[in-house]
Amino acid sequence: MARDLLLFHSPQSDPSWPARLAEALPEVEVTTDLATPEPGRVAGAVVWAPPPGALARFPRLRFVQVLGAGVDHLLADPSLPPGLPVARLLDPGLVRLVAEYVLTHALALHRGLPALARAQAEGRWAYAAPRPASEATVGVLGLGTIGAAAARLLAAAGFRVLGWSRTPKPDAPCPALCGPEGLARLQTEADILVLLLPLTPATRDLVDAAFLERLKPGACLINAGRGALVVEDDLRAALDRGQVGHAVLDVVRTEPLPPGHPFWTHPRVTLTPHNAGATRPASALAAVVANVRRGLAGLPLEGRVDRTAGY
Ligand code: OXD
């Protein structure tokens, strides 16, 4: 009998993924063909942002392993069969990369590097007295695995760190606030605000004009979560007024950022092309292989997503 097919779709990932999966999982045949002529043989899928409707073609699909931490793009597909188990990736390598990104930019913002780069471009010697990280507060919104890792690195670098999550997080590695009162406190205390929340109906558009107005004047923002957490016109207005001092955006609502978008040239915006983290086979293969085996055997997946909560 022909082996089950495992669909792999993640065009931006390391090209060695399909061969590595095939080697580690001889019990299945790995295909990268979304239009495979044998859709009935596809038993599992390992994907990042498949086109909407793509997975509905496979009547015997038993599970989906997402090749990243966020699953919003997949859950937004109305044709995703209800009840189909979906797992997000628990990859220590991805977690570390994003935490390092947050630390890099928090230090750069704290030392005023964007303003110094502007001064250099204009030929100005703009001396500003340095301050230690311990004199700045970083607020981390989202205390999942990545938020907790970022909080740990920031604290190790000397920052005062405050975390916030929707529900209480007794195991958080930093003082952890929750609920609307906790958010209000974090907004007034943070010099740098880090967005690491999942994108769900409850967090979409969270960072709007009213939210930004409650921040300390001149506070900076780092978004390594999802673009749609932020209302971009409202952020632009807050940057123009100096209410937000600078924004570091690894994610934007439409990726790649469309040509002509004001963020391309805004002097108070640093853009990175959604590369704060990446799922690299070296750190993620073992977890993916183990979960594929669980999925094929009908066992509970590690990192299974609560599809109603959206993460
Ligand atoms: C992820 C991402 O969700 O890289 O893993 O955005």
Side-chain angles (χ1 to χ4, degrees), residues 8 14 16 43 76 103 116 120 152 179 212 227 242 264 272:
F8 179 88
D14 184 313
S16 71
L103 177 62
L116 291 176
Q120 181 179 351
R152 255 184 236 108
L212 294 166
W264 278 116
T272 54

Side-chain angles (χ1 to χ4, degrees), residues 48 68-70 94 226 274:
W48 176 254
L94 170 75
R226 282 292 180 264
H274 200 148

Side-chain angles (χ1 to χ4, degrees), residues 61-295:
L61 185 62
R62 300 209 284 275
F63 68 95
V64 183
Q65 169 69 58
V66 173
L67 212 57
V71 293
D72 43 290
H73 51 83
L74 193 69
L75 301 191
D77 180 350
S79 70
L80 192 70
L84 180 67
V86 172
R88 69 196 151 79
L89 187 66
L90 304 174
D91 168 16
L94 170 75
V95 171
R96 177 75 196 185
L97 283 171
V98 180
E100 287 175 359
Y101 176 95
V102 169
L103 177 62
T104 302
H105 289 283
L107 283 169
L109 291 168
H110 176 63
R111 297 303 294 253
L113 295 194
L116 291 176
R118 284 198 297 275
Q120 181 179 351
E122 292 160 10
R124 280 188 293 115
W125 187 258
Y127 181 83
R131 289 183 308 128
S134 57
E135 290 185 14
T137 298
V138 182
V140 178
L141 261 66
L143 288 172
T145 321
I146 296 179
R152 255 184 236 108
L153 266 195
L154 290 161
F159 285 110
R160 175 172 177 256
V161 183
L162 279 180
W164 181 85
S165 56
R166 206 171 46 90
T167 51
K169 282 273 169 10
D171 300 337
C174 59
L177 308 167
C178 67
E181 311 79 44
L183 185 58
R185 180 173 151 209
L186 187 130
Q187 283 169 305
T188 53
E189 292 193 23
D191 300 291
I192 299 172
L193 200 70
V194 180
L195 301 179
L196 284 169
L197 291 162
L199 180 64
T200 69
T203 62
R204 180 177 289 275
D205 297 333
L206 175 75
V207 180
D208 60 5
F211 179 106
L212 294 166
E213 204 45 51
R214 287 193 290 269
L215 296 181
K216 260 190 184 177
C220 295
L221 193 75
I222 299 175
N223 189 3
R226 282 292 180 264
L229 297 173
V230 174
V231 179
E232 292 182 346
D233 284 345
D234 292 356
L235 175 60
R236 179 158 64 112
L239 287 162
D240 288 344
R241 285 187 293 115
Q243 167 62 13
V244 173
H246 198 87
V248 175
L249 306 175
D250 188 51
V251 286
V252 284
R253 292 185 90 100
T254 305
E255 295 178 12
L257 191 69
H261 191 290
F263 287 165
W264 278 116
T265 51
H266 200 292
R268 291 177 187 269
V269 171
T270 299
L271 276 176
T272 54
H274 200 148
N275 70 349
T279 301
R280 305 168 71 232
S283 61
L285 184 68
V288 171
V289 166
N291 240 9
V292 167
R293 289 222 163 95
R294 279 188 206 102

